[in-house]
Amino acid sequence: MQTNRLVLNLDCRDSLGLVAKITSRIAALGLNLIEVNQHTDIASGWFFARIEMEAPKSGITREQFTAEFLPLASELNARWTVRYRGERVKTAILVSKADHCLDDLLWRWRSGELPMDIVAIISNHPDCAHLARREGIPFEEVRFSENGKDEAFAKLESLIHSTGAELIILARFMQVLPPALCEKFHARIINIHHSFLPAFTGGNPYARAYERGVKLIGATCHYVTPELDAGPIIEQEVVRVEHFHDTEDMKRLGRDCERLALGRGVRYHLENRILLYGQRTVVFRD
């Protein structure tokens, strides 16, 4: 975590001179602009910005910045957050049997690409326990059955809360989360769906894509909402399908899309590069 670097995310109604107001206030606080991303949605007249700032070594803290910036934010009636660059996020990863997305996330985390502390790996199967053991991460198995799902989800939610997790990643967790949990962690549950949404929602999308004869398949990283596979899209990846590819080929090709889309989507979230606007996202990619 770089305590001399702050990242400001802000969105509000667009107006003449808005950028000048914001950057002038930042300059008055003795902060240097490192990265400035902005976008105005012309149809709605709504402004979005991600601004990375650097302070002198003995400079302003996040709390001080919050107090000093608050009057302007209130004047703009803005939604905004400020975090330290590289601030680590407590994260729980949920997985079922497939391990490719989990293994890829662990590699990115181990290499320093993802600023998160993985507080638990939770699964409804034992298959991925060896990956957790390899990394020294607590592994919890929660058994699901058709007759005991309410009890299983209650245990799952209790485990998540006991870890203090701020972010939940569904790395091919093949259970539909209850609406109450989705709402509690609004914009803090990231899923990878093995389809290029909105096509082929739900289960077994590769088989349905094969039957339809698609020429492109993909994967979609999105925030989870109570409506299945309908949350705001963060990132997508596609690959071409040839006429000689069968369903197993499509699954093999799709696994690469899933890993890439999820890895990038999680990094964008951790680096505060995503701003939500209704069912859409503004993603300031690096």
Side-chain angles (χ1 to χ4, degrees):
M1 183 172 68
Q2 296 175 263
T3 54
N4 67 319
R5 287 272 186 102
L6 294 170
V7 178
L8 170 68
N9 281 8
L10 178 146
D11 67 279
C12 63
R13 177 68 58 186
D14 193 24
S15 61
L16 186 65
L18 178 57
V19 174
K21 283 184 180 180
I22 295 169
T23 55
S24 295
R25 186 60 185 146
I26 290 170
L29 295 173
L31 293 159
N32 183 41
L33 299 177
I34 301 298
E35 182 181 333
V36 179
N37 294 285
Q38 64 182 81
H39 168 70
T40 298
D41 183 74
I42 301 301
S44 63
W46 207 255
F47 172 84
F48 304 86
R50 178 190 184 274
I51 302 174
E52 189 170 326
M53 309 157 284
E54 186 175 48
K57 292 295 182 181
S58 59
I60 192 168
T61 66
R62 177 175 56 183
E63 292 72 24
Q64 290 170 331
F65 178 89
T66 298
E68 295 288 346
F69 192 76
L70 182 59
L72 177 58
S74 300
E75 175 190 326
L76 299 175
N77 196 25
R79 297 182 301 179
W80 63 294
T81 61
V82 63
R83 295 177 68 93
Y84 290 116
R85 165 80 175 179
E87 186 173 348
R88 301 183 72 81
V89 177
K90 290 184 178 181
T91 303
I93 302 178
L94 276 56
V95 65
S96 289
K97 291 184 176 182
D99 63 2
H100 57 286
C101 286
L102 172 62
D103 210 9
D104 186 73
L105 287 173
L106 292 173
W107 178 84
R108 294 174 190 271
W109 164 73
R110 194 185 323 117
S111 66
E113 183 180 323
L114 302 176
M116 61 183 181
D117 292 326
I118 305 175
V119 292
I121 295 172
I122 304 172
S123 180
N124 55 331
H125 295 280
D127 302 57
C128 293
H130 67 287
L131 295 176
R133 285 195 300 270
R134 183 189 71 189
E135 304 295 342
I137 299 170
F139 181 85
E140 300 285 350
E141 184 181 351
V142 179
R143 295 292 182 115
F144 281 76
S145 68
E146 289 302 319
N147 296 324
K149 282 199 172 185
D150 289 345
E151 182 179 340
F153 276 122
K155 181 179 179 182
L156 175 68
E157 186 171 347
S158 176
L159 282 171
I160 290 170
H161 285 294
S162 70
T163 64
E166 305 163 86
L167 174 67
I168 301 170
I169 302 172
L170 308 184
R172 291 297 303 270
F173 182 64
M174 308 307 287
Q175 296 288 333
V176 180
L177 297 185
L181 185 59
C182 297
E183 290 163 2
K184 282 182 183 178
F185 283 83
H186 173 69
R188 292 187 295 138
I189 305 176
I190 296 176
N191 182 48
I192 185 66
H193 182 69
H194 43 310
S195 171
F196 194 75
L197 294 174
F200 308 121
T201 61
N204 209 10
Y206 290 127
R208 287 182 289 137
Y210 175 78
E211 291 166 1
R212 187 65 183 82
V214 301
K215 303 308 177 189
L216 290 172
I217 57 169
T220 303
C221 176
H222 66 97
Y223 287 118
V224 174
T225 60
E227 185 179 355
L228 180 65
D229 297 332
I233 292 171
I234 301 169
E235 179 66 311
Q236 294 183 295
E237 181 66 31
V238 295
V239 65
R240 181 162 292 280
V241 176
E242 303 296 346
H243 60 275
F244 51 81
H245 286 145
D246 61 17
T247 305
E248 290 306 309
D249 290 321
M250 294 172 76
K251 290 179 181 178
R252 171 178 54 83
L253 294 168
R255 282 193 290 268
D256 284 341
C257 293
E258 294 163 31
R259 293 186 300 104
L260 288 170
L262 182 60
R264 286 198 297 259
V266 169
R267 182 166 61 82
Y268 296 152
H269 178 92
L270 294 171
E271 293 183 356
N272 302 289
R273 294 186 175 275
I274 307 167
L275 285 86
L276 278 173
Y277 187 48
Q279 282 297 104
R280 301 170 61 192
T281 59
V282 173
V283 183
F284 291 118
R285 296 174 176 84
D286 56 354

